[in-house]
Amino acid sequence: QLPAAMKPESSTATVVIRYGTPDDMYQVTCHEKELAKCHENMLQYCRLGSEAHRQMLMDGLFRIMVAEAEGRVIGYLLYTPSYLLRHAEPGFYVQSLYVEPLYRRHQVGQSLLATLGRLAASSGFGHLKLLVQHSNAPAVNCYRRLGFDFLTETENIGFFELWPPKFITSTLQAGRRPLPAGLHLELRDCGGRLSGKLETGRRFALTCAACDCRLQGTVALTYCMWDGPVAQADLEAVRPSCPARGCALLNAANLRRLFGRLLLTCLPVRPVRLWLEAGRRDSRLRQLLIKIGLEDSTASELWHVCDLSGPGLSELAGRSVACPSVGRLAIDAGALTAEL
């Protein structure tokens, strides 16, 4: 159990935002379980303890910022690099953001995001990406105020998930099979900038000699606080003139081979899940993704896919980082730039 939360006193409390360390992971793990309780039916998926998180932080699988007050962690933001087809530059994926209830409405969460925005804007990272549950109204409203583009609404981007172990195993098996004659998989580095195992973002394109179709996107390793390493990808089917039916490229078997090869050749560790973003307007692609075992979480109105880039990111980075009703906020600027 964490120490009992204390009501913030405006005259004495100081909130410090700094990089998290392995020694913070016990408190962060306790907060992570509280965060899971806020999400519908998510507590059952919290399979990892603080020692596992501690080791994976030391291995470089993620980065974390913490907000500290009165000698303890009262909030955190966990992030990894993000690589997206729609962005030429890498960015940051905000995997998890939590603030203790008594410190909410004091701009602590906004200050964590603004600090990450400054870090991104000053270091060549061009976007922030995150997922938020439809049912989490306070967070949805906050991200709208901060200027995030809700791609689920504006571009009909869907969030798909492949996670039962049997589906991951069968996908890896498919990836070991040779590609059919005429198909070619091209891979190139995205150019990650953080130290550790997360420097392995790749752009890919699966092309077909028999037509002008291609499956293209990005893939990288990210981290889920609930159960560990996750493959994160986006996917687009480009079919300039080939009819949807009878295409030599776009079928379930080739999708399985593609995802299997990406998991085998592009990632340093075996992931426990695959998270995929893809346009839902392409009904043929969506049907095939569901056929091979991916769940469309957007269809069940579970998640929004959100993105912040360009002027919106600059505006977030320029926001005043302060928690006026809590007292004073300090940014450990030296620590926040030392590891880039």
Side-chain angles (χ1 to χ4, degrees), residues 96-277:
S96 186
L97 174 61
Y98 178 84
V99 177
E100 281 187 3
L102 288 176
Y103 282 86
R104 294 172 191 170
R105 301 186 181 277
H106 297 294
Q107 300 181 27
V108 177
Q110 178 178 304
S111 295
L112 284 164
L113 279 169
T115 304
L116 184 64
R118 288 184 180 183
L119 191 63
S122 64
S123 308
F125 290 81
H127 67 272
L128 300 184
K129 190 190 83 167
L130 55 84
L131 300 172
V132 59
Q133 277 194 319
H134 282 248
S135 59
N136 191 350
V140 169
N141 293 335
C142 174
Y143 297 139
R144 290 192 192 278
R145 288 196 304 270
L146 292 176
F148 278 84
D149 183 8
F150 280 60
L151 299 177
T152 307
E153 299 171 347
T154 60
E155 298 184 23
N156 202 13
I157 298 295
F159 174 66
F160 298 82
E161 187 171 26
L162 182 73
W163 68 271
K166 64 178 182 180
F167 285 122
I168 293 293
T169 299
S170 64
T171 301
L172 292 171
Q173 290 172 347
R176 295 185 177 95
R177 301 184 190 118
L179 290 173
L183 297 191
H184 176 64
L185 179 60
E186 303 171 8
L187 295 169
R188 59 187 178 90
D189 289 341
C190 289
R193 291 184 174 88
L194 291 185
S195 61
K197 296 178 181 178
L198 284 172
E199 293 183 5
T200 51
R202 299 283 185 91
R203 294 185 183 271
F204 65 84
L206 182 64
T207 57
C208 178
C211 62
D212 53 2
C213 297
R214 61 195 288 119
L215 291 168
Q216 61 186 20
T218 64
V219 64
L221 192 69
T222 188
Y223 187 77
C224 175
M225 279 292 286
W226 296 332
D227 53 9
V230 173
Q232 183 172 245
D234 63 352
L235 179 68
E236 178 185 30
V238 180
R239 301 198 304 271
S241 58
C242 183
R245 303 292 177 179
C247 176
L249 174 65
L250 195 59
N251 59 56
N254 288 339
L255 276 177
R256 285 196 185 96
R257 289 190 183 97
L258 171 61
F259 290 139
R261 292 208 166 198
L262 294 177
L263 299 184
L264 286 168
T265 62
C266 296
L267 304 180
V269 299
R270 174 173 170 166
V272 296
R273 296 174 185 254
L274 169 64
W275 288 344
L276 176 72
E277 296 174 23

Side-chain angles (χ1 to χ4, degrees), residues 6-29:
M6 298 176 64
K7 185 175 181 179
E9 298 291 342
S10 61
S11 60
T12 59
T14 297
V15 176
V16 176
I17 293 179
R18 58 172 175 80
Y19 268 133
T21 70
D23 292 338
D24 296 318
M25 294 315 298
Y26 174 72
Q27 295 182 73
V28 169
T29 302

